[in-house]
Amino acid sequence: MKNQWKNHFRCCLILLCFVSAFCLQPAKSEPRRTDREQFQKYASSKQANGEAIKVYSAGLKAYERQDFAEAIKLLKKANGIDDKCSGALYTLGAAYMWEDDFQSALETYTKGLKLCPNDVELNYRRGFANISLLRYKEAIVDLQKAHKLAPDRGDILVLEGKCHRALGQTGLAVKAYEEAARLSPRDEETLLALANLYLDDKSFEKALVTARTLTSYYKDIGEAYGIAGKALMALKRYKEAEKEFDRAIACGTEFGAQFLGLKKECHKLAGKNK
């Protein structure tokens, strides 16, 4: 069940139509730094309830050992003891996400936002929960608010871009990804998605530049070479496209068979243009 969430999320990023839901995927199963910061903030406050601190701490530890059912029970209890213990809602919502209970996660983050409406992380995480329920328009509202509160966070813009893409709003998706790339110019996922969007939008020169920028940073991303090849092919620069497809194939990409076929097609087209 737990690994299914991670795999489900990755698959959804590949699907342009976003026909399935995806959810919050931390880099590890441990709480994000913000979760710990929220706990420390509450525990060190003058208004902190001693029993709530004890239960809250136990809930975090349960989350760390991936006992999400126990974490849910304890974090709900901590918030029940003292509703000022709103930081527990960060991790409670994440635990629900791991359990694929997206509706409860949404309700948890909504409860947190009633207490702290200008909390960046809660707006961001509720955006994830909305996406998991295929509520892309609602997610965009959350993410745009989070971005206004934290304009330097490119990850918020990336998620917004995915929502626009799911809704077929290519122009808005491009805009979000371009700003994300400006904030994080070497981020692999952002550049790869942006290059693909440029291809979809028939902005072939931009797709080429973006793909080559990515391969200048990372030499083993076959899909980026493939995008460069497709862009060059659209620009009728067939010999250059062949070389890019060769590089893509050499990376052992999962799209190898496709790129081999495109390389052969380029070779034929190049011969006709002689």
Side-chain angles (χ1 to χ4, degrees), residues 24 27 71 76 78 105-106 126 162 165 175-176 199 212 240:
L24 181 62
K76 284 178 69 175
L106 179 67
R126 190 171 71 172
K162 290 171 183 174
R165 198 173 183 185
K175 184 179 178 181
L199 271 185
R212 283 183 166 170
E240 292 176 75

Side-chain angles (χ1 to χ4, degrees), residues 205-223:
E205 289 286 358
K206 288 183 177 180
L208 178 60
V209 170
T210 305
R212 283 183 166 170
T213 297
L214 182 54
T215 56
S216 72
Y217 297 143
Y218 311 104
K219 305 297 183 183
D220 60 345
I221 303 178
E223 189 179 353

Side-chain angles (χ1 to χ4, degrees), residues 177-188:
Y177 273 107
E178 285 178 338
E179 179 61 14
R182 185 188 68 79
L183 292 169
S184 304
R186 297 176 70 98
D187 184 76
E188 176 184 334

Side-chain angles (χ1 to χ4, degrees), residues 6 17 25 28 31 39 54 56 62 82 87 92 96 108 120 169 179 192 231 233 235-236 238 248-249 251 262 268:
K6 284 189 175 182
C17 59
Q25 179 192 20
K28 299 179 181 179
F39 171 71
K54 181 179 177 181
Y56 189 170
D82 183 5
L92 175 58
Y96 278 129
T108 298
V120 176
Q169 300 168 339
E179 179 61 14
L192 195 59
M233 197 174 176
L235 294 167
K236 299 183 179 181
Y238 302 119
I249 294 165
C251 289
L262 289 171
K268 290 180 182 178

